[in-house]
Amino acid sequence: MNAELKRLHSPDIHDLKLYQPEVPEKFGFLLQVMVGPEGVDGEESFNVEVCTPKWLEETYGMNEVVIGRHHLIVREYNYQKIVDTIQNFLRECTGENWIEVAEKVSRIGKWEFEDYID
């Protein structure tokens, strides 16, 4: 089974394709990467903080140690580069079932069912 990017969404940005940060070298926003099994309807959310190094410095301070899990660090906002990077990452997310695939996808973003216990 393979992962497929279904769509991208941000509660912070109305139109990701047209977005231009106010300060191009310093921004951060939540990106919801909607992924599901390839060729099958349905999707699940994987949350990623897209940010620049300067945003990290301002948000966390120069002397802090930051665990970078679920962050996509960019030098500039380029929608197509972000899409291409995510799609290239997803090509490596395969498994015998959706749980195996989703656990691999969750390395890039926090899976909505991460740590879920039935």
Side-chain angles (χ1 to χ4, degrees):
M1 179 175 284
N2 300 316
E4 179 180 20
L5 177 62
K6 305 294 184 169
R7 64 188 175 93
L8 298 175
H9 172 264
S10 175
D12 303 323
I13 298 169
H14 175 70
D15 190 331
L16 288 164
K17 291 180 183 177
L18 298 177
Y19 175 64
Q20 294 295 316
E22 287 183 33
V23 181
E25 67 277 358
K26 185 175 65 181
F27 65 88
F29 65 89
L30 175 64
L31 179 66
Q32 294 176 303
V33 181
M34 308 304 286
V35 179
E38 185 177 47
V40 177
D41 287 341
E43 61 190 23
E44 294 178 5
S45 177
F46 297 82
N47 293 337
V48 180
E49 187 73 35
V50 177
C51 61
T52 62
K54 288 187 179 185
W55 180 89
L56 283 169
E57 289 174 10
E58 184 175 284
T59 302
Y60 295 103
M62 290 294 290
N63 297 320
E64 296 296 321
V65 175
V66 178
I67 296 173
R69 188 164 187 222
H70 304 147
H71 286 71
L72 184 62
I73 302 166
V74 300
R75 296 276 177 201
E76 64 182 4
Y77 185 77
N78 182 312
Y79 176 78
Q80 195 57 54
K81 280 186 181 179
I82 291 170
V83 170
D84 292 345
T85 298
I86 291 169
Q87 287 182 323
N88 287 336
F89 176 84
L90 292 177
R91 283 189 191 97
E92 303 298 319
C93 298
T94 62
E96 292 296 318
N97 56 55
W98 174 245
I99 299 295
E100 285 183 16
V101 174
E103 286 175 349
K104 291 177 182 176
V105 176
S106 72
R107 294 173 185 155
I108 196 171
K110 183 170 178 23
W111 182 24
E112 65 180 294
F113 295 109
E114 193 168 310
D115 300 326
Y116 174 78
I117 300 172
D118 189 15

